Structures are given as C-alpha cells and as structure tokens.
Amino acid sequence: MKFVRFEINGSARQGILEGDQVHEIRGDMFGEFTPGTQTYPLSGVKLLAPCVPGKIVCVGLNYRDHAAEVNLPVPEEPVLFIKPGTTVIGPGDDILYPELSQEVDYEAELAVVIAKTARNIPLDQALDYVLGYTCANDVTARDLQRKDGQWTRAKSFDTFLPLGPYINTEVDPLNLKIELFLNGQMKQASNTGQMVFNVRELVSRMSQVMTLLPGDVLLTGTPRGIGQMQRGDRVEVKIEGLGTLHNQVK
Ligand code: MG
C-alpha cells in the first residue's frame, strides 16, 4: 500500500495512491481508517510530506562506500543525531539556501516511518514497528558542520528535510537501489544493502535510547557521492519502489 498526504482546498488529507489516482481515507494511516468517498487524479492534488514526524532520528556514516569516500573508519556503533520537525518539506517544495552557509550539500537517504510506539525493541521484532518507507534528502550545511564540531546547526535549517512522495508499506528495506540526480545528472548510486547498520538494527538500537512514536522518521544515512547544491538547482532522490522526490533550491 502507498500512503500519501495531500492538500485540497487548503486542508491536509490522507489517502492511498493507486496508479495515478489518490483515494482519500477517513481516519488515520497510523490507526484506524476506512475508505473515503473521494478519489482525485494525482495530477490534480498537491502532495505534502507523507507524515508529520514528532522527531527525526538520523545516523551518520552508515554506508560503507560513503565512509570510504570521506576516509573515515566504519563506526562500531551508530552515530545518532536529530533533525527538528520544522525541517520537513514535501515533494516539489523549495529548499531554502540559508544566508549563514556557503556550502549546502544533498544526501539521498532511505527514510523509515514508525508505525507504533517502540521502546527497547529486539532485533527480530524491529520491522513490526515500521509502517513503511519513503525518500529523503538530508540537506546539510557542510561548512557549519565542520565549524561547529557538532551537527545541530548544520542539519536543522527550515526546509532541510524534503520527504516523499509516498510511504510504501511493502518494500524490502535491506535491498533497494538508491540514487540522486542533480539537474538530471546522476551523483549518487548505491544500494541499501551497503548500510553498516541495517533498518532492523537501527530501529532496535534507536529504541534503546528513546521511545519512538507513530509518525517519527528515521534517516538511515547516505551513500557515496555527496556534493554541493547551488541556488536554482533541481535535485531528485530516487529509491526503488519509492518513486522520485524532487525539489529545487532557492
Ligand atoms: Mg545524512
């Protein structure tokens, strides 16, 4: 199933995407829902970020090919950080280049959407707590990341987390092709099988630190090929089974 959030007449709705049709649902994708009466053509609605996360828990240096690219050892434990909910934007929205930075990078990432309250979840049950997966771009002010020695400012500007276009509940997160295109040119190309800590391990380990709640989003790290974006650039994250997330830099 593919869940979307979309806007009609200024109000946010939830729906299920089938082909190029969006079937509205009544209720909540994280709880009980029933089919609504309305169906809209996908081309006639404005898609929003597919969920509204209370928190976004992220991992750094989680692809073997990316650790090699930046000449750093593969970490023994996941290095966690958090992005605030105010970073989230939807498909087609503008990434706003902040005046405080001169070096803004893209990072294509698989995003995990949590389905239900998760605390101290063992490895073999971790995927039971996942609603599904979507595309993310963990936009980063690289100069500020280096300057600050920690990552809060670099990762937290408004619009620094494009998410979408939909949450697919039926893909295998352990083996998905992941790509990023900048102005149509391929910049990142890898597979989620390259992760140091896979989705199962990340859900389990993160839930040992903090309670994960429905709608929370986990970012799973970026593969090799990171680089800068400039104002006016068009950036697309494409993940197998999860469609394409496109945004532009303003
Ligand atoms: Mg990242």
Side-chain angles (χ1 to χ4, degrees):
M1 201 148 38
K2 293 173 181 169
F3 287 116
V4 290
R5 286 176 64 250
F6 62 100
E7 191 180 293
I8 287 284
N9 303 325
S11 80
R13 318 279 178 92
Q14 296 184 6
I16 292 168
L17 178 64
E18 279 178 352
D20 57 1
Q21 300 290 307
V22 175
H23 306 287
E24 192 175 342
I25 59 171
R26 285 211 187 101
D28 184 11
M29 65 174 90
F30 297 98
E32 303 283 308
F33 65 86
T34 53
T37 51
Q38 298 291 329
T39 292
Y40 304 94
L42 180 59
S43 58
V45 302
K46 154 90 175 111
L47 287 185
L48 304 171
C51 60
V52 183
K55 60 182 172 297
I56 299 114
V57 192
C58 317
V59 60
L61 278 187
N62 195 38
Y63 276 75
R64 294 173 202 289
D65 54 6
H66 175 53
E69 157 186 65
V70 292
N71 256 323
L72 287 167
V74 168
E76 287 173 14
E77 283 194 289
V79 179
L80 303 185
F81 64 96
I82 281 190
K83 284 170 93 94
T86 42
T87 54
V88 174
I89 57 172
D93 291 343
D94 292 334
I95 299 166
L96 301 178
Y97 201 112
E99 298 211 345
L100 289 174
S101 174
Q102 274 75 52
E103 192 180 348
V104 174
D105 282 5
Y106 55 77
E107 293 186 359
E109 304 204 9
L110 175 71
V112 180
V113 181
I114 296 296
K116 53 188 182 183
T117 303
R119 173 84 184 133
N120 284 327
I121 305 307
L123 212 50
D124 62 343
Q125 290 169 29
L127 295 189
D128 301 344
Y129 290 80
V130 173
L131 178 70
Y133 305 89
T134 192
C135 304
N137 188 347
D138 175 19
V139 180
T140 303
R142 197 68 68 199
D143 49 352
L144 302 184
Q145 188 181 30
R146 278 195 302 268
K147 197 167 166 187
D148 290 355
Q150 51 95 328
W151 303 0
T152 304
R153 190 162 64 137
K155 296 284 190 179
S156 300
F157 285 94
D158 289 357
T159 74
F160 268 27
L161 181 53
L163 268 186
Y166 51 78
I167 299 167
N168 192 338
T169 61
E170 284 159 19
V171 295
D172 171 11
L174 305 182
N175 179 24
L176 297 173
K177 201 157 89 174
I178 176 168
E179 296 167 323
L180 183 137
F181 297 84
L182 190 67
N183 301 320
Q185 223 187 353
M186 184 187 279
K187 296 289 185 182
Q188 293 184 286
S190 189
N191 188 289
T192 58
Q194 280 277 319
M195 284 183 195
V196 179
F197 302 98
N198 66 33
V199 169
R200 207 175 262 141
E201 291 170 297
L202 290 174
V203 171
S204 175
R205 283 169 180 261
M206 287 173 178
S207 78
Q208 290 167 29
V209 180
M210 63 193 103
T211 303
L212 303 174
L213 299 174
D216 281 354
V217 164
L218 315 183
L219 296 191
T220 55
T222 199
R224 65 167 295 172
I226 58 166
Q228 289 188 46
M229 300 182 291
Q230 308 298 337
R231 289 183 180 87
D233 281 350
R234 179 178 164 81
V235 62
E236 292 168 289
V237 177
K238 189 175 177 187
I239 303 179
E240 195 178 347
L242 305 181
T244 301
L245 168 65
H246 62 93
N247 299 90
Q248 55 288 325
V249 184
K250 206 172 159 187

